[in-house]
Every structure is written in structure tokens, then in C-alpha cells.
Amino acid sequence: MSVSLLLVDDQPLVRAGLRMILESAPDLSVVGEASDAREASREARSLVPDVVLMDLMGGPAGTRAIRAVLEWARPLGHRVRVLALGPQDSEPLLHGALHAGASGFLFKDTPPEELVSAVRVVASGGAVLPPLVLHRLLDEVAPLLPSGEPAGRAPRDPLSVREREVLRLLARGWSNAEIAAHLFVGSTTVKSHVGSILTKLGLRDRVQAVIHAYETGLVRPGEGHANNR
């Protein structure tokens, strides 16, 4: 099933690069582009895309555009979802985007394959956040999460020792390459371990795996981030 996209960025070269990356996937189709918030709202109304990939544009204009697009689209039977893009230091803008209703956020230096995967996740109704951002958010909310198990009853752990270590590092915001270097194995091996973890625990994606790690106490708030190891 094809996913239609509207690209929103004030730089034509950036839009051209995004278009090239996204249209390399057979199930993704860029149906329009916009350079600012007002144009984004107008094009979204005209094209009704599945996903709006929107640069936060360095200020509240991006947040207002997200809210305008989603408020207009809400009465429609066809739901429009927004995936926001921003630089590494855009955490305040990220919070605004999430409050406005964005289904996900990615850093602008995200690898192409991860961008394509994120668009598919958002289009299917899921949510996407970089592991480091998710880790920071969970530091704030983890104490409020339920344990998931009655007191005095230890949950069964189907993971191997190595899989638990991979999950612990993943939950701290480490990338596959960083985990591979730390464990002295190949990135393909780490990817295989992650797939096995998701299968054994019945989880959909890395985000759910991180939440599981916090809920089960494998990782605790404040334990450390990828750049503090």
C-alpha cells in the first residue's frame, strides 16, 4: 500500500534530498512540497497526504503549522500524520511538536534507511523518537510507570545473557554500531539480537523495547546516556 508524503522545508536542496531518499522506496510517494507553514497548510488541504514530513523551521512556526494541519484534517475520514524533523539541539521544539500532535520526531542527520522506516511506522499509526530523546523522556516518566507484575512475583525472562545486555544498552540510547563496538561483535550480529529480543518479548519496535527495559527495572532513570558511558 503506497504512502503519500508532503515535504515541508524552507531549503529547496533539502527537499530535493528528502524526495530522492523517500522515492527510492517503492511504497513511498512524494506528492507535494512546501517551503513554509502557510504553504504547508494549503498544500495539505489540497493533497491530503498520508504523512507530512515537516522541518520545525527553527521556531514556533513549525509547531503552529503542525497544529493547523492536524486540526483541519481531524474531521476527515483519512487521517493525516506529521513526522517532524529538527537539529540535535531542538528539544524545546520537539516538546512543542509533540504537544501539537506530531506522531514522531527525527534528527535531521538521521540515516536514510531509518528515515524511510520511520515514515512507514508513522503512516501505519505508530510513533517514532530517537533513542536518546526517548531515554530523556523516560527519565521523567519512568517513576510513574506501573511495574506490570504483582508484588512478590518475578516475571519470566526469556532473554539470553547477551540479549539482556543488548537491551540494556539499547535502552540507554546506544545505536547498533555503538553496541557492536562495545561488545566486539558486528553490527549485523547486534541487529539479529535486537530482532530476537523483539520476537521473544512480543514487542513491535525499539521504542517498546526501551519501555519494557524501564518497566522491568533493567534500566533505571538517570543511569546514563549514550554519550556518558
Side-chain angles (χ1 to χ4, degrees):
M1 186 175 179
S2 180
V3 176
S4 60
L5 293 112
L6 171 65
L7 306 182
V8 184
D9 195 290
D10 59 356
Q11 300 182 49
L13 285 178
V14 172
R15 297 199 305 271
L18 290 172
R19 177 184 283 271
M20 182 176 65
I21 292 169
L22 295 166
E23 292 196 330
S24 68
D27 57 330
L28 304 183
S29 174
V30 176
V31 295
E33 298 181 13
S35 61
D36 56 36
R38 180 173 297 181
E39 191 176 352
S41 182
R42 184 176 68 246
E43 290 298 300
R45 290 170 182 261
S46 172
L47 300 169
V48 196
D50 297 312
V51 176
V52 178
L53 186 61
M54 182 179 295
D55 175 30
L56 292 179
M57 295 177 281
T63 300
R64 289 197 298 268
I66 292 172
R67 187 173 287 111
V69 167
L70 296 179
E71 286 180 353
W72 165 79
R74 190 170 292 117
L76 301 179
H78 179 88
R79 182 176 176 185
V80 178
R81 293 177 171 86
V82 174
L83 177 58
L85 295 174
Q88 291 273 355
D89 59 353
S90 59
E91 202 157 328
L93 295 177
L94 158 65
H95 293 158
L98 296 179
H99 278 297
S103 297
F105 171 85
L106 292 176
F107 296 130
K108 297 188 79 170
D109 59 356
T110 295
E113 63 275 10
E114 292 185 19
L115 173 62
V116 169
S117 176
V119 168
R120 289 173 177 147
V121 170
V122 169
S124 66
V128 174
L129 288 174
L132 184 56
V133 171
L134 179 63
H135 180 90
R136 290 169 181 164
L137 292 177
L138 284 175
D139 273 357
E140 301 173 7
V141 304
L144 305 178
L145 294 173
S147 66
E149 289 290 329
R153 178 184 171 186
R156 176 180 172 272
D157 186 358
L159 303 182
S160 67
V161 173
R162 176 50 60 90
E163 288 168 346
R164 279 197 300 276
E165 178 66 6
V166 170
L167 177 57
R168 186 179 68 82
L169 297 175
L170 183 157
R172 291 176 60 192
W174 292 35
S175 68
N176 284 2
E178 291 170 327
I179 295 173
H182 180 74
L183 298 178
F184 301 102
V185 298
S187 293
T188 302
T189 300
V190 173
K191 186 175 181 180
S192 177
H193 282 316
V194 172
S196 178
I197 290 167
L198 297 181
T199 299
K200 287 183 176 181
L201 298 178
L203 305 174
R204 183 184 65 243
D205 52 32
R206 294 169 71 102
V207 173
Q208 288 192 341
V210 173
I211 293 174
H212 174 87
Y214 272 84
E215 288 184 327
T216 57
L218 185 63
V219 176
R220 292 180 174 81
E223 184 173 308
H225 300 123
N227 57 0
N228 290 330
R229 53 189 182 279

